[in-house]
Amino acid sequence: MEQKKLVAQAIVDATGGQLSLDEVMSKIEVPKSYELGDYAFPAFILSKVYRKAPQQIAPELVEKIDQDGFDKVEAVGPYVNFFLDKKSFSKNVLAAILQKKEGYGQQDLGHAGNVPIDMSSPNIAKPMSMGHLRSTVIGNSLAELLKKANYNPIKINHLGDWGTQFGKLIEAYKLWGSEEEVRKDPINTLLKYYVHFHEVDEKQPELDDEARAWFKKLEDGDEEATNLWQWFRDESLKFFKSIYQKLGIDFDSYNGESFYNDKMDEVVNLLEQKNLLQESRGAEIVDLEKYGLNPALIKKTDGTTLYITRDLAAALYRYRTYNFVQSLYVVGNEQTNHFKQLKAVLKEMGYEWADDIHHIPFGLITSGGKKLSTRKGNIILLEDVLNDAVDLAKKQIAEKNPDLPNKDQVAEDVGVGAVIFHDLKNERLNNFDFNLEEVVRFEGETGPYVQYSHARAMSILRKAGNVDLENAQLAGLNDEESWEVIRQLSNFPAMVRRAVEEYEPSVIAKYSIHLSKSFNKYYAHTKVLTDDDQKDSRLAMVASVAIVLKESLRLLGVNAPNEM
Ligand code: ARG
């Protein structure tokens, strides 16, 4: 960053202040190939000022530029290409990383503003799906990224613990349930009742009325309904928490849909006061035609509320509680319309802050190219995936490094980390197919590969013994092999920024793969520990790689063992 400013300043000076520093900064490019230099300035933007072709301007600028701090400055066509002074550039980058350590890349984009993140949000009495996994790990990574950019994220698990389906579940339990069976295996048993309910009610639609009546009772605070519901919720939550623990992810709030039960009257009243509610076949709706959206169904004929009613109450609650600068919802792209409706209704209610609500959608995980579906039995269970991944990691460690201390912990870090990393390296919106073997591979673009690169850097540092790099006078590095690594390292703060601005953890995951690749290539060509005047600089680079890889993985929610 500093270096880019150096380039920009040189241009500003050469043009005698015709352009502002910010203007030039925003125009400077990084050439695709580094044979064309480290930065390039396109002279197009000056052709109006000078009334000349950019091809003519570029060489004239080169004449005027003070070459201090650069290896070379040259004109190629309409571009002015800058080659940085590698030694001083690398010295600056490495010194900054060694001094800031894991704080490297920190920046103030958020001014400590609150950002609630609605994430994970599985449904009570159902298994957690791969979709919920995506929401959990994307949400968690966004929280870490936002924190690094000085926002204050608040991780909210908006549990699906309210709605007509609980009427169905209670009815099913009353008809066929056994307490003992539920205690033994809560989630699967409850799911079984729920699925059975759907089979039976196709022939006996009156069951639906019973179910609706139970949900109505639940909303009205009936004791039996409430106790059963509470029991189902407790059991489910116990189970969900065991998965979160495996993933190493926690939440600031478990306020799910039920939390808003006593806050929905206000929403309905507000909508009424603002004349937004219309009756449609006995139900209450908000018309959203002018947004090109279907009407939002706020209240059913029997007076019970809906998913969106609870989301309206939640949005209002979050605004009042957190006075947020942004409010994020990490939820699959199949709910895009729901969030459009949510924002539109809030807009209609006159809340300007509706513009600060962002749905962060993501694509589907498929298996064998097919969509996963609980109903059709094509389902991958998250707890199985995590356990299998850890087992596979154990096997690989037993083959590659049988004497490794802490084997079990490392296998956890690698197995779980592999699953998280695999999810995050795909751009959020892409669908991807899940294949466990591929996820846990030590080579290729996987989490274990990045973890392994970090461990390799750590092992070089162990071999080097106690070198006080922080206080060493670094000579800097100017060889081609290290240059790629140095450039990557200097890019990290910009990558953090991009990941935050695009809500895209994959930026960091891909970055960590690139850095690992350049580092491994470097290592294959260079004897780091040779005694010469650049040894400290090489070690400083290895230490910097270790720091930045570990920090990248941390931002993704993945541990980086020191040995593996
Ligand atoms: N429980 C919902 C589901 O599993 C996701 C909830 C997302 N959050 C929200 N505020 N609507 O589909």
Side-chain angles (χ1 to χ4, degrees):
M1 206 56 192
E2 277 302 299
Q3 310 304 312
K4 189 173 165 187
K5 245 198 197 133
L6 200 78
V7 172
Q9 193 59 53
I11 294 284
V12 172
D13 294 346
T15 58
Q18 291 277 5
L19 299 169
S20 76
L21 189 65
D22 283 346
E23 220 174 326
V24 177
M25 283 291 274
S26 72
K27 290 292 183 318
I28 286 178
E29 300 172 11
V30 175
K32 279 265 173 303
S33 144
Y34 58 85
E35 273 138 51
L36 291 171
D38 303 302
Y39 292 102
F41 173 75
F44 306 101
I45 52 168
L46 282 169
S47 40
K48 266 225 177 94
V49 183
Y50 292 135
R51 296 169 188 279
K52 272 187 206 167
Q55 289 86 334
Q56 246 176 309
I57 300 171
E60 288 173 16
L61 274 179
V62 170
E63 292 292 303
K64 290 190 198 136
I65 284 169
D66 178 4
Q67 308 253 345
D68 234 25
F70 302 109
D71 275 353
K72 191 164 68 175
V73 182
E74 66 181 13
V76 176
Y79 285 94
V80 179
N81 293 342
F82 290 83
F83 296 77
L84 296 169
D85 176 344
K86 291 191 176 56
K87 272 199 177 170
S88 71
F89 182 84
S90 58
K91 221 162 53 180
N92 289 341
V93 174
L94 298 176
I97 298 174
L98 292 180
Q99 187 232 324
K100 294 182 183 152
K101 303 212 174 56
E102 62 276 4
Y104 178 60
Q106 220 151 290
Q107 47 205 303
D108 185 12
L109 303 177
H111 316 299
N114 283 341
V115 182
I117 306 179
D118 188 305
M119 53 182 269
S120 195
S121 312
N123 300 316
I124 293 300
K126 284 193 192 168
M128 209 187 286
S129 72
M130 291 303 271
H132 295 120
L133 169 72
R134 293 214 77 186
S135 170
T136 310
V137 301
I138 294 171
N140 183 62
S141 178
L142 289 179
E144 294 302 337
L145 283 161
L146 287 166
K147 237 187 277 174
K148 199 159 174 88
N150 197 26
Y151 286 93
N152 179 36
I154 298 131
K155 297 190 272 182
I156 302 175
N157 196 329
H158 188 79
L159 291 171
D161 59 1
W162 210 247
T164 345
Q165 69 269 33
F166 294 97
K168 292 180 187 170
L169 193 59
I170 294 174
E171 174 66 9
Y173 179 77
K174 297 288 287 181
L175 287 172
W176 316 294
S178 118
E179 188 174 332
E180 207 194 317
E181 202 183 14
V182 175
R183 287 210 186 286
K184 251 195 247 146
D185 184 4
I187 305 264
N188 288 321
T189 308
L190 293 174
L191 178 67
K192 190 178 79 181
Y193 297 159
Y194 187 69
V195 171
H196 190 58
F197 180 93
H198 278 283
E199 285 161 6
V200 176
D201 107 300
E202 282 193 5
K203 283 160 259 153
Q204 284 170 255
E206 67 276 13
L207 276 191
D208 266 340
D209 298 331
E210 295 293 325
R212 257 196 295 278
W214 273 114
F215 181 53
K216 175 91 178 113
K217 278 195 201 173
L218 190 58
E219 283 213 314
D220 294 342
D222 171 85
E223 198 181 320
E224 186 184 11
T226 307
N227 286 341
L228 279 173
W229 168 83
Q230 187 71 49
W231 180 40
F232 299 154
R233 188 183 192 274
D234 289 348
E235 290 294 338
S236 302
L237 200 52
K238 235 189 271 169
F239 172 74
F240 293 154
K241 282 187 175 168
S242 73
I243 293 185
Y244 296 139
Q245 201 182 358
K246 264 213 140 105
L247 291 169
I249 289 174
D250 55 10
F251 295 88
D252 299 304
S253 157
Y254 283 95
N255 286 343
E257 294 185 42
S258 66
F259 177 77
Y260 301 98
N261 187 35
D262 63 359
K263 299 172 182 58
M264 283 187 288
D265 282 348
E266 191 203 350
V267 170
V268 176
N269 289 339
L270 281 169
L271 287 168
E272 238 153 38
Q273 279 166 27
K274 296 175 196 246
N275 265 326
L276 293 170
L277 279 186
Q278 289 178 14
E279 225 193 87
S280 164
R281 280 180 268 140
E284 312 258 13
I285 63 158
V286 176
D287 183 87
L288 297 175
E289 213 191 308
K290 75 173 188 223
Y291 296 85
L293 296 168
N294 287 331
L297 185 51
I298 302 294
K299 230 176 177 180
K300 289 192 192 169
T301 323
D302 63 3
T304 55
T305 58
L306 289 109
Y307 184 51
I308 196 166
T309 328
R310 294 185 281 280
D311 257 330
L312 284 166
L316 209 60
Y317 177 84
R318 286 174 198 173
Y319 184 71
R320 289 170 180 164
T321 309
Y322 303 114
N323 190 20
F324 55 68
V325 293
Q326 288 179 42
S327 179
L328 309 184
Y329 294 76
V330 185
V331 185
N333 57 9
E334 69 280 3
Q335 293 195 29
T336 298
N337 254 312
H338 167 74
F339 287 102
K340 280 190 183 154
Q341 288 183 318
L342 178 65
K343 285 179 73 162
V345 175
L346 290 167
K347 264 291 217 256
E348 283 297 276
M349 293 172 87
Y351 299 128
E352 284 308 319
W353 48 264
D355 291 332
D356 301 320
I357 288 182
H358 302 294
H359 176 212
I360 312 295
F362 52 81
L364 276 179
I365 301 183
T366 53
S367 162
K370 288 205 187 76
K371 202 175 149 171
L372 301 168
S373 149
T374 322
R375 289 247 182 105
K376 293 195 187 109
N378 182 22
I379 171 172
I380 307 180
L381 290 180
L382 189 48
E383 64 264 39
D384 294 348
V385 168
L386 292 175
N387 290 335
D388 291 354
V390 172
D391 284 345
L392 215 61
K394 261 190 198 142
K395 254 196 235 150
Q396 302 212 27
I397 291 169
E399 272 168 35
K400 294 197 166 154
N401 195 355
D403 304 323
L404 182 72
N406 264 333
K407 254 194 268 190
D408 288 345
Q409 183 56 46
V410 175
E412 282 282 325
D413 289 346
V414 172
V416 174
V419 174
I420 297 177
F421 190 94
H422 182 75
D423 194 306
L424 294 179
K425 85 164 193 215
N426 292 288
E427 268 154 53
R428 245 195 308 114
L429 276 165
N430 288 354
N431 299 341
F432 69 89
D433 208 63
F434 191 84
N435 174 338
L436 189 65
E437 309 274 316
E438 197 185 300
V439 172
V440 191
R441 270 190 307 138
F442 273 48
E443 310 88 31
E445 312 203 325
T446 65
Y449 173 71
V450 178
Q451 287 172 318
Y452 184 70
S453 307
H454 166 263
R456 167 178 263 177
M458 293 306 285
S459 110
I460 299 171
L461 295 172
R462 274 194 302 276
K463 261 192 223 140
N466 273 334
V467 187
D468 181 10
L469 293 171
E470 257 171 88
N471 296 309
Q473 281 297 331
L474 300 179
L477 297 166
N478 56 354
D479 57 300
E480 287 300 327
E481 278 75 31
S482 49
W483 191 231
E484 193 49 38
V485 180
I486 296 287
R487 271 173 60 118
Q488 303 261 10
L489 288 171
S490 77
N491 245 338
F492 182 62
M495 291 292 141
V496 171
R497 182 184 188 120
R498 211 175 104 202
V500 169
E501 285 172 350
E502 295 174 8
Y503 306 108
E504 189 62 89
S506 69
V507 169
I508 298 297
K510 291 194 168 110
Y511 168 81
S512 71
I513 290 172
H514 288 154
L515 179 58
S516 299
K517 280 190 184 159
S518 337
F519 172 62
N520 287 320
K521 205 164 133 200
Y522 169 78
Y523 182 69
H525 287 269
T526 316
K527 291 204 174 64
V528 175
L529 295 173
T530 307
D531 257 318
D532 60 22
D533 69 332
Q534 289 191 324
K535 180 176 163 192
D536 281 354
S537 299
R538 288 194 298 273
L539 280 173
M541 189 172 86
V542 174
S544 298
V545 167
I547 289 169
V548 173
L549 284 182
K550 184 172 186 156
E551 180 62 3
S552 299
L553 290 172
R554 190 191 67 76
L555 289 171
L556 300 172
V558 174
N559 288 336
N562 286 336
E563 254 183 284
M564 64 186 268

